[in-house]
Amino acid sequence: MRFVLVAGCTRTAEIDGISAAGADPTVMAHTPSADLEILEYGETALAPVVPVSPTGCPTPSVVTRAVRELVEFETLAVDAGLTSPTGAPTVTITEESGRDIRETRPVSAAAEAFESAKRLGRALPDDEIVIGETIPGGTTTALGVLTALGERTTVSSSLPENPLALKQDVVNEALAVSDLSAGETAGNPIETVRHVGDPVLATVAGITVGAVQSGTAVTLAGGTQQAAAAALVRHAGIEEPVSLATTSFIADDETAGIAKLAADLDLSLTVTDPKFDSRDHPAMNAYEAGEAKEGVGMGGALALADDADVTMAAVRDRIVDVYERLVDEEPRAKP
Amino acid sequence: MRFVLVAGCTRTAEIDGISAAGADPTVMAHTPSADLEILEYGETALAPVVPVSPTGCPTPSVVTRAVRELVEFETLAVDAGLTSPTGAPTVTITEESGRDIRETRPVSAAAEAFESAKRLGRALPDDEIVIGETIPGGTTTALGVLTALGERTTVSSSLPENPLALKQDVVNEALAVSDLSAGETAGNPIETVRHVGDPVLATVAGITVGAVQSGTAVTLAGGTQQAAAAALVRHAGIEEPVSLATTSFIADDETAGIAKLAADLDLSLTVTDPKFDSRDHPAMNAYEAGEAKEGVGMGGALALADDADVTMAAVRDRIVDVYERLVDEEPRAKP
């Protein structure tokens, strides 16, 4: 088993009110790069900041790293359009980050990214992979993809109050700019990503297609963004089994409609509850208040812990350790 | 502890008779990329070939991977000018591979690579790192560096008969083209690499300087190439302890003069003998016949096995396993 983390950026995230991933736009641009470092090293390396939301909620990579320290799974970090350097080793699928989907062709390298990701998925030697993602603004591009493909248009949010009307406005404007209507790119995943997606979605979908075709079992770890990636996989004609592993925070979010999305797309769904309500700690309270909910494959990581008979109490203890290490650390990248 | 593998290319390797790393120039260009994959996955991924010498000696990454499967150390792969894609995740220090040192400024990005590598070395969270290298033709550029710095000019070879006269001719021509005499760049590691080195030497030296300056203990794993990297570190003014871990094949090679080089450069030297003479197997016989000798941090990996109380018999058994897996495998990257 290998845990694959696909990281990238879309300028869609810079639209005011869209994302909680990072306290300000500068922090947001560093969030995916820092997430890769936290998963790899347990702390940041070249990233100049530790990603926390405006209210102090730490990045979900804290949770995924905590599980990794207990379960010791192997990882593969994938650069799908990062805008800031990372000190974590990556396979680069595309160096082009996504533009605002309200512009024409926000992912002009969609076809190359999808093909290159397919090759990587096919090349991996593992029997089983779990794929997570980190891209601020990703639920908005996911909504764009689900809409253009004609799938159920429910997406979650990293904010306690999902700015769904704002996201729908952005997606409608994106479709209009690309002269597309809802459902018009059904059966064409590359065109879908090119016009209303982001490079992380193209890469997650491509790796999944290549892996499944070469006999590797794939679990997509995440919420509605990974459901959108799965929709791209289904619209590429892949009928083999694909799993989706998410958190109870996503399952409890009615705006996410994750069970129905999973059923529509024939994904077997696993939901894991880390029982953060049993602890009073800043790294967990924010989730209970409805923030973050998912990301960096957190739901898949929790499921791996559960499969390995690691208790959620042990995971929670380790989350506290990782969090304290992160907030105490002197940024190494400071000059 | 983290095992760092720095991989790159120099066109110096294409000079006829210089290197055994790869049966022909095409294979040679893929060798460092394949070595990273073998260390990461235990088999190749995107690399289209399994690196073997003209006589069938497999790449030393087989040995390093075998130890990794027994000791389970963490790895960091570093791209220092690869010319072919790798499916292993890397931190990219420079995308510019080295030109033939008989041209002017064969490593024009020497300063940027050195600085970027220093930042990475400083950013690593580990108490201790072991650094290996893989670059065909690397002993010739090492000879160039040792000569330009005014250090002892002894280097080993991946061939049973070291083509030392050829290497000296190449280095003399390189110095002449750059209008330099032996010893002229003493105290200036960047100028040295720029005119007669390769990007891997700049990167190994830079990571070492950054790591040592931030309190991380460094072991350079390899033979005379890593001694040349250590010379660059000393000529950068670093006086802190640095270790060198190599194989008995290098120690037994009189042309390498490794003990004297280590003494000159104030490096504490560890030599490990994997006792390949006790087995009759193609993955080991070639070493006994004087081929390969070192590379991909093999000597450092053997020392790690020894430190972890893993017997050399267990290492030899695992080398056979890794070798069989590699030669049996259908290349995944084939279209």
Side-chain angles (χ1 to χ4, degrees):
Chain A
M1 202 289 300
R2 188 177 305 269
F3 187 93
V4 180
L5 180 55
V6 181
C9 295
T10 167
R11 298 201 69 167
T12 310
E14 295 173 14
I15 300 169
D16 200 34
I18 285 280
S19 175
D24 61 51
T26 323
V27 176
M28 201 154 63
H30 292 293
T31 295
S33 300
D35 281 341
L36 296 179
E37 295 177 349
I38 292 166
L39 178 61
E40 179 70 20
Y41 301 117
E43 52 188 277
T44 57
L46 295 179
V49 293
V50 174
V52 291
S53 77
T55 62
C57 179
T59 164
S61 63
V62 168
V63 177
T64 304
R65 170 69 193 192
V67 173
R68 189 188 172 196
E69 293 185 5
L70 298 168
V71 178
E72 297 193 344
F73 50 75
E74 289 193 280
T75 61
L76 169 61
V78 177
D79 179 350
L82 292 169
T83 53
S84 77
T86 182
T90 59
V91 171
T92 300
I93 291 296
T94 176
E95 294 188 349
E96 189 183 305
S97 61
R99 286 185 295 283
D100 188 327
I101 56 170
R102 297 171 305 177
E103 296 172 27
T104 53
R105 297 180 177 256
V107 189
S108 58
E112 296 81 354
F114 189 74
E115 285 308 314
S116 171
K118 252 171 53 178
R119 271 197 302 280
L120 178 64
R122 212 157 44 221
L124 292 176
D126 311 287
D127 296 330
E128 188 190 343
I129 59 173
V130 174
I131 312 178
E133 53 66 37
T134 169
I135 175 168
T139 56
T140 303
T141 45
L143 182 64
V145 161
L146 291 168
T147 305
L149 291 173
E151 296 291 345
R152 185 182 301 271
T153 54
T154 52
V155 290
S156 185
S157 170
S158 57
L159 295 162
E161 292 296 319
N162 194 344
L164 211 44
L166 171 61
K167 290 179 185 176
Q168 272 153 354
D169 286 347
V170 170
V171 168
N172 289 339
E173 197 176 331
L175 290 168
V177 162
S178 293
D179 206 15
L180 288 173
S181 57
E184 192 171 335
T185 61
N188 197 331
I190 290 170
E191 282 304 298
T192 306
V193 169
R194 182 178 286 133
H195 294 299
V196 294
D198 65 56
V200 168
L201 286 168
T203 301
V204 172
I207 293 173
T208 303
V209 170
V212 163
Q213 284 178 338
S214 66
T216 298
V218 177
T219 297
L220 295 170
T224 47
Q225 288 167 249
Q226 294 301 61
L232 292 166
V233 170
R234 293 304 184 208
H235 282 258
I238 298 294
E239 294 177 353
E240 280 84 354
V242 174
S243 302
L244 184 68
T246 194
T247 62
S248 52
F249 307 109
I250 293 289
D252 294 344
D253 174 6
E254 285 176 18
T255 64
I258 197 73
K260 288 176 180 165
L261 260 176
D264 289 355
L265 298 164
D266 195 19
L267 308 171
S268 63
L269 180 66
T270 304
V271 175
T272 309
D273 180 357
K275 301 223 160 44
F276 285 171
D277 56 350
S278 64
R279 282 293 279 264
D280 181 23
H281 187 276
M284 292 175 255
N285 294 348
Y287 286 85
E288 287 300 316
E291 266 196 82
K293 298 188 187 75
E294 243 299 357
V296 196
M298 172 182 166
L302 292 171
L304 289 172
D306 203 40
D307 288 349
D309 287 329
V310 171
T311 65
M312 289 301 131
V315 172
R316 292 190 298 270
D317 286 346
R318 188 58 71 116
I319 289 169
V320 173
D321 292 347
V322 174
Y323 176 86
E324 305 293 346
R325 204 189 301 149
L326 275 175
V327 296
D328 286 349
E329 102 184 88
E330 278 290 309
R332 285 171 184 274
K334 282 245 175 92
Chain B
M1 204 287 302
R2 186 177 308 267
F3 187 93
V4 180
L5 180 55
V6 181
C9 295
T10 166
R11 299 201 70 169
T12 310
E14 295 173 14
I15 300 168
D16 201 33
I18 284 280
S19 175
D24 62 49
T26 324
V27 176
M28 201 156 63
H30 291 294
T31 294
S33 300
D35 281 341
L36 296 179
E37 295 178 349
I38 293 166
L39 178 62
E40 179 69 21
Y41 301 118
E43 51 188 278
T44 57
L46 296 179
V49 293
V50 174
V52 291
S53 78
T55 61
C57 178
T59 164
S61 63
V62 168
V63 178
T64 304
R65 170 69 194 193
V67 174
R68 189 189 172 195
E69 293 185 6
L70 297 167
V71 179
E72 297 193 342
F73 49 76
E74 289 194 279
T75 61
L76 169 61
V78 177
D79 179 350
L82 292 169
T83 53
S84 76
T86 182
T90 59
V91 171
T92 300
I93 290 297
T94 176
E95 295 187 349
E96 189 181 305
S97 60
R99 286 184 296 281
D100 187 327
I101 57 170
R102 297 170 305 177
E103 297 172 27
T104 53
R105 296 181 180 255
V107 189
S108 58
E112 296 80 352
F114 189 75
E115 285 307 315
S116 173
K118 253 171 51 178
R119 270 196 302 279
L120 178 63
R122 213 159 39 221
L124 292 176
D126 311 287
D127 295 330
E128 188 189 343
I129 58 174
V130 175
I131 312 180
E133 54 65 38
T134 169
I135 175 168
T139 56
T140 304
T141 44
L143 181 63
V145 161
L146 291 168
T147 306
L149 290 174
E151 296 290 345
R152 184 183 301 269
T153 55
T154 51
V155 291
S156 186
S157 171
S158 57
L159 295 161
E161 291 296 319
N162 194 344
L164 210 46
L166 172 60
K167 290 178 185 176
Q168 271 154 353
D169 287 348
V170 170
V171 167
N172 288 339
E173 197 176 332
L175 289 169
V177 162
S178 294
D179 207 16
L180 289 173
S181 56
E184 192 172 337
T185 61
N188 197 332
I190 289 170
E191 281 303 298
T192 306
V193 169
R194 181 178 287 134
H195 294 297
V196 293
D198 66 54
V200 168
L201 285 168
T203 301
V204 172
I207 293 173
T208 303
V209 170
V212 164
Q213 285 178 337
S214 66
T216 297
V218 178
T219 297
L220 295 170
T224 47
Q225 289 168 249
Q226 295 299 62
L232 292 167
V233 170
R234 293 303 184 210
H235 282 258
I238 299 293
E239 295 177 354
E240 282 84 352
V242 175
S243 302
L244 183 68
T246 194
T247 64
S248 50
F249 308 109
I250 293 289
D252 293 346
D253 175 5
E254 284 178 18
T255 64
I258 197 73
K260 288 176 181 164
L261 260 177
D264 288 354
L265 297 164
D266 195 19
L267 308 171
S268 63
L269 179 66
T270 304
V271 176
T272 310
D273 181 355
K275 301 219 160 46
F276 285 172
D277 55 351
S278 64
R279 283 292 277 264
D280 181 21
H281 187 276
M284 290 174 257
N285 294 347
Y287 286 86
E288 287 301 315
E291 267 196 79
K293 299 188 187 77
E294 243 297 357
V296 195
M298 172 181 166
L302 292 171
L304 288 173
D306 203 42
D307 288 349
D309 287 328
V310 170
T311 65
M312 288 301 130
V315 171
R316 291 191 299 270
D317 287 345
R318 189 57 72 114
I319 288 169
V320 173
D321 293 347
V322 174
Y323 177 85
E324 304 293 346
R325 204 189 301 149
L326 273 177
V327 296
D328 287 348
E329 99 182 272
E330 280 290 311
R332 287 170 183 274
K334 282 250 174 86

